[in-house]
């Protein structure tokens, strides 16, 4: 299965993508995580990406498309993938079409996570990630770790992403509104999009997502196909 997960920053894409990919036995590919790996490794690409990320802007398309194309070419994606945070503009969407056409494959579905901007700002201000494994995500308000500042899963130190400051979050929201919303419209015109509410417990959102892609129980509320 080949899926896209789209939604504004703070909608919970990373959290849901991880769980969905595990449940469906497909690869989770996060553009943001790929950039953060480069930043951690101190590569030139990472330094370039960091400048844009810190400003809440998109990393240039040629860099982003190259990173994703290389990742999708690895053999572990043959069973399928869940792309989280790509494509974020129409140029990237067209590039993805080309990559898929080259491998004679196509997307099965696009999940669009819906959330208000006020809720995004509230969520992101409290978000904390684990230094050892940034897939371990907490929130100081609604899912705090047992010991403040320490990851429940592996004991790693928790930190706040440097693009999670409020001014940067507002810029990221603007990028989503102006550049990424048209991508959703494009896939909607192809009949691929289901919009689901990103509100509620992690498991509730996951249940909605599974229903939306035909892999869950039909009693999860909050999904609307379009
Ligand atoms: P969020 O969805 O919460 O903004 P991500 O980790 O997906 O978090 O993205 C963080 C940042 O990484 C973005 O603000 C942007 O700077 C960069 N980024 C992620 N995906 C892309 C993409 N497809 N194109 C360009 N830049 C991207």
């Amino acid at each position: 299965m080949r899926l896209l997960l789209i939604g504004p920053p703070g909608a919970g894409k990373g959290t849901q993508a991880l769980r969905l990919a595990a449940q469906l036995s497909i690869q989770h590919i996060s553009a943001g995580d790929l950039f953060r790996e480069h930043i951690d490794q101190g590569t030139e690409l990472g330094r370039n990406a960091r400048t844009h990320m810190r400003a809440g802007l998109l990393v240039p398309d040629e860099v982003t498309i190259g990173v994703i194309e290389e990742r999708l070419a690895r053999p572990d994606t043959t069973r399928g993938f869940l792309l989280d945070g790509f494509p974020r503009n129409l140029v990237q969407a067209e590039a993805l079409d080309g990559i898929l056409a080259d491998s004679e494959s196509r997307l099965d579905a696009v999940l669009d996570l819906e959330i208000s901007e006020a809720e995004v700002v509230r969520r992101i201000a409290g978000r904390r990630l684990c230094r050892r494994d940034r897939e371990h995500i907490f929130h100081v308000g609604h899912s705090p770790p047992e010991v403040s500042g320490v990851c429940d899963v592996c004991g790693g130190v928790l930190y706040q992403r440097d693009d999670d400051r409020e001014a940067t979050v507002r810029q990221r929201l603007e990028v989503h509104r102006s550049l990424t919303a048209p991508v959703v419209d494009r896939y909607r015109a192809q009949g691929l999009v289901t919009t689901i509410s990103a509100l509620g417990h992690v498991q509730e959102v996951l249940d909605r997502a599974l229903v939306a892609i035909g892999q869950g129980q039909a009693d999860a509320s909050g999904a609307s196909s379009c």
Side-chain angles (χ1 to χ4, degrees):
M1 186 171 256
R2 296 177 195 87
L3 301 174
L4 299 189
L5 191 58
I6 299 187
K13 290 188 301 292
T15 303
Q16 293 301 329
L18 190 65
R19 287 164 174 75
L20 276 169
Q23 188 129 349
L24 301 169
S25 302
I26 57 178
Q27 287 300 313
H28 170 209
I29 299 176
S30 156
D33 284 353
L34 290 170
F35 292 139
R36 282 183 286 272
E37 278 166 25
H38 274 277
I39 291 170
D40 290 350
Q41 290 159 10
T43 67
E44 192 181 333
L45 192 154
R47 281 191 291 280
N48 180 7
R50 187 174 199 187
T51 313
H52 299 277
M53 291 168 79
R54 284 188 134 174
L57 301 172
L58 292 186
V59 176
D61 287 335
E62 62 275 17
V63 175
T64 306
I65 291 165
V67 165
I68 293 290
E69 188 165 19
E70 187 275 325
R71 181 64 190 85
L72 286 176
R74 290 191 218 158
D76 61 1
T77 61
T78 47
R79 272 186 58 89
F81 55 76
L82 174 53
L83 269 179
D84 156 12
F86 183 93
R88 288 203 194 213
N89 63 22
L90 291 172
V91 172
Q92 295 180 7
E94 277 159 25
L96 180 60
D97 283 352
I99 295 169
L100 292 174
D102 286 348
S103 60
E104 291 178 6
S105 58
R106 58 188 303 278
L107 291 174
D108 294 297
V110 176
L111 280 172
D112 168 40
L113 285 178
E114 189 175 58
I115 187 169
S116 74
E117 298 201 354
E119 176 65 11
V120 162
V121 172
R122 196 186 67 77
R123 281 188 180 187
I124 290 189
R127 176 156 72 182
R128 299 292 181 273
L129 280 70
C130 173
R131 282 241 176 257
R132 279 194 203 151
D133 185 339
R134 60 174 72 86
E135 290 187 339
H136 303 156
I137 302 168
F138 299 84
H139 188 281
V140 292
H142 59 71
S143 61
E146 274 179 28
V147 178
S148 171
V150 180
C151 176
D152 286 352
V153 185
C154 69
V157 174
L158 300 183
Y159 74 106
Q160 184 172 33
R161 268 169 47 177
D162 64 5
D163 59 347
D164 275 356
R165 286 164 295 126
E166 186 169 337
T168 313
V169 171
R170 295 211 179 270
Q171 176 60 43
R172 284 157 63 200
L173 280 167
E174 171 53 26
V175 166
H176 181 79
R177 253 194 316 266
S178 57
L179 299 178
T180 312
V183 173
V184 179
D185 293 341
R186 180 179 189 274
Y187 289 122
R188 186 170 280 127
Q190 297 172 18
L192 286 171
V193 175
T194 304
T195 298
I196 62 171
S197 166
L199 297 180
H201 292 293
V202 168
Q203 185 62 43
E204 286 170 343
V205 181
L206 180 64
D207 289 344
R208 275 175 216 143
L210 287 167
V211 169
I213 55 170
Q215 302 281 326
Q217 310 276 332
D219 59 354
S221 58
S224 63
S225 231
C226 20

